[in-house]
Amino acid sequence: MKLFSSQALPILLKFEDGTQADVEDTQLHGGSGWEELTFTLNSTGTYNDMILFVDGPGTAAGTFYVDDIEKVDGAPPPPPFDDGLLTNGDFQTLDGNGNVVAWIQGVDDDNPAPVVTVSGNTYYSINITTPTPGEPFNINLSQKVEIVQGTSYILSFEAWSSVNRSIVAGIGLSGGDFSNASETVNITTTPAVYQRTFTATGFGAPDARVLFDLAEEAGVVNIDNVSLFVTGGGGGGGGGGCEGDAVAATTLPVDFEGCESFISTFSSIGDGGVTTNLVANPNPSGINTSDNVLRITRASGINRWGGVQNSFPAGTIDITTRTFKIKVYSSIPDVTYRFELALDPQPNPVVGNPAPVFRQVSGGANQWVELEFTFINLPATPTTYNQLVIKPDNPEGTDPQVTSQEQIFYVDDIRLD
C-alpha cells in the first residue's frame, strides 16, 4: 500500500468479519510524503472487511492519501539485521501528534536475535531468557528516552511465546524498578501486536529505558517492533495540578500549580509550531522541588523565534522593581532565552516595545537553573506594559535560523522581585 503523510505515525491494517479470528499488522510511516508500506498477515480464513487505522493510538489530525493497494502472496524479504543490533527504525519515540522525536537503536545484552519461523513466516526477534526467575530483562537503548512524570505513554510491541504466559512491559531506569510505569501483558503462542497505555506516576527521568520482565516465569519470549508513543500533545490543555482547561495567567507570580498558564504561542508555521502543557515536574530537585511546571514544545523545522506569551490584564504588571526571575530546565545545554515586554493590544500608531533581554544557561542541561532579566529604558509609568514573551533557544541574530529537531523546555515560578 502506498500512503501519503507529512507526519510520522503508526498505520494499522486489519481484516474482520471472517471465518477465523481477526488479523492485523501495524507499520510506522516516516512522514516523508509518499511511502510504500508492507503489512504481513497470516491466516487461512476469508474476510469481508478491510479497515485502515491512521494513528489509531494517538490524536494526529491531517489529510492522508492512499493508493495502489495490492495483495502479494508469500513472506516478505527479511529486514536487515546485524549481530543482535536492532535496525534503525525498530525503536522510535513520537510526540502526541505522531511526529518522530528520535530514532532509537537497541541492543540485547545477552542474546543475539535469531531467525524465528512461525507458521511459515520468518521473524527477526529478541529472545528473552531468565536464568534467574524474576530478573528484569532490559532492552538498552543507544539513545535515552526522556520520561516526564505524570505523562501518559503508549508502549507498542509484537510478542509471542512458546506457551501462554504473562510479562511486564514498561519504562524505567536501566536495571531499576519500573512498577510505577508498567503494565502486565498476557501473550500467547501466536504473534500479535500489543499496546498498553500507562502514566509515569511518581517517576520521571531524562535517561529512561524500555524494560521487559518475565514476571518470575522461566522461559523464552520473542519480542520485536517496539515503539514508544507520547499521548496528548499541546495547546494549553489541562494537566499537572489543573483539573480543567488551562487559562491565561492574570497575575504574577505564576507557579503553574493550578490552571493559570501561558497558553498563547506563536511560530513561523502558526498553530502547532509551539505548544504548551501543564505537566508534573520532570526533575523535582535542586532549586525547584515543586509538583508542576509549564512544558514548552517547539516543533522541528520552524524559525527559532517561535515561543510563548501571556497578556496580563492592563495595569497588573508593576515593573517598579524591573527584575524578573524564572526557573528553566531542559536536556539541551547552553540554551539562550529571549525575553520581551510588549503592549497588548498595540496602540495606533504603534509606540514600540523595550529592547529584548537575552540570558544564557551556561551548561545547565538536566537541572533547574534560575535566570534574572531586567528591561531598561522603560517609561515612567511602571504598569505600561502588560505582555511577557518568552522565546527559548533564540540568541540574538538567530531569527532566520530553523530548528533541526523538536525541542522541549520547562519553566516555572515566573515572578518580579
Side-chain angles (χ1 to χ4, degrees), residues 192-230:
V193 174
Y194 298 90
Q195 291 184 342
R196 291 295 183 271
T197 301
F198 45 81
T199 300
T201 304
F203 164 75
D207 56 350
R209 303 286 193 269
V210 175
L211 302 174
F212 294 93
D213 190 337
L214 291 191
E216 300 184 359
E217 296 181 40
V220 177
V221 176
N222 303 297
I223 295 180
D224 201 2
N225 298 324
V226 182
S227 298
L228 185 64
F229 301 86
V230 182

Side-chain angles (χ1 to χ4, degrees), residues 14 18 44 48 55-56 148 154 163 234 247 252 271 295-296 302 312 318 380:
K14 184 176 184 179
T44 58
N48 297 322
D55 191 28
V148 180
I154 295 175
V163 295
V247 296
L252 286 173
D271 292 341
R295 169 174 165 156
I296 302 171
I302 68 171
F312 296 85
D318 187 341

Side-chain angles (χ1 to χ4, degrees), residues 253-412:
V254 185
D255 61 11
F256 304 104
E257 294 300 327
C259 292
E260 289 207 353
S261 180
F262 278 44
I263 60 175
S264 178
T265 65
F266 53 90
S267 77
S268 55
I269 64 171
D271 292 341
V274 179
T275 58
T276 63
N277 295 90
L278 294 169
V279 299
N281 189 339
N283 184 14
S285 63
I287 65 170
N288 189 13
T289 58
S290 67
D291 292 330
N292 304 298
V293 299
L294 177 68
R295 169 174 165 156
I296 302 171
T297 304
R298 293 207 315 184
S300 176
I302 68 171
N303 285 80
R304 289 177 69 175
W305 50 258
V308 301
Q309 60 193 8
N310 189 74
S311 296
F312 296 85
T316 59
I317 298 183
D318 187 341
I319 52 176
T320 302
T321 60
R322 298 192 177 187
T323 299
F324 288 81
K325 292 185 178 180
I326 183 173
K327 295 174 183 174
V328 298
Y329 176 94
S330 176
S331 60
I332 306 171
D334 302 317
V335 175
T336 295
Y337 293 80
R338 174 174 174 163
F339 302 97
E340 299 175 4
L341 271 182
L343 276 171
D344 184 33
Q346 283 281 352
N348 188 11
V350 175
V351 298
N353 300 318
V357 179
F358 300 87
R359 289 292 181 268
Q360 183 185 38
V361 178
S362 298
N366 301 316
Q367 63 178 326
W368 283 102
V369 176
E370 186 169 74
L371 300 178
E372 294 186 6
F373 54 100
T374 302
F375 296 96
I376 61 175
N377 298 326
L378 297 177
T381 304
T383 57
T384 298
Y385 294 97
N386 66 313
Q387 186 181 70
L388 180 61
V389 182
I390 304 173
K391 300 177 179 180
D393 191 36
N394 182 207
E396 191 169 9
T398 61
D399 278 0
Q401 296 181 11
V402 175
T403 58
S404 60
Q405 61 183 2
E406 185 186 66
Q407 300 173 311
I408 297 176
F409 309 92
Y410 301 91
V411 301
D412 199 13

Side-chain angles (χ1 to χ4, degrees), residues 67-101:
D67 200 4
D68 296 336
I69 303 174
E70 61 178 329
K71 174 178 175 287
V72 180
D73 291 328
F81 211 86
D82 181 18
D83 298 330
L85 179 66
L86 293 177
T87 57
N88 202 27
D90 276 7
F91 289 81
Q92 35 179 340
T93 55
L94 301 107
D95 65 12
N97 295 320
N99 302 310
V100 172
V101 176

Side-chain angles (χ1 to χ4, degrees), residues 7-12 53-61 64 95-98 229:
Q7 53 186 309
L9 34 70
I11 308 295
L12 185 148
F53 294 88
V54 178
D55 191 28
T59 58
F64 311 92
D95 65 12
N97 295 320
F229 301 86

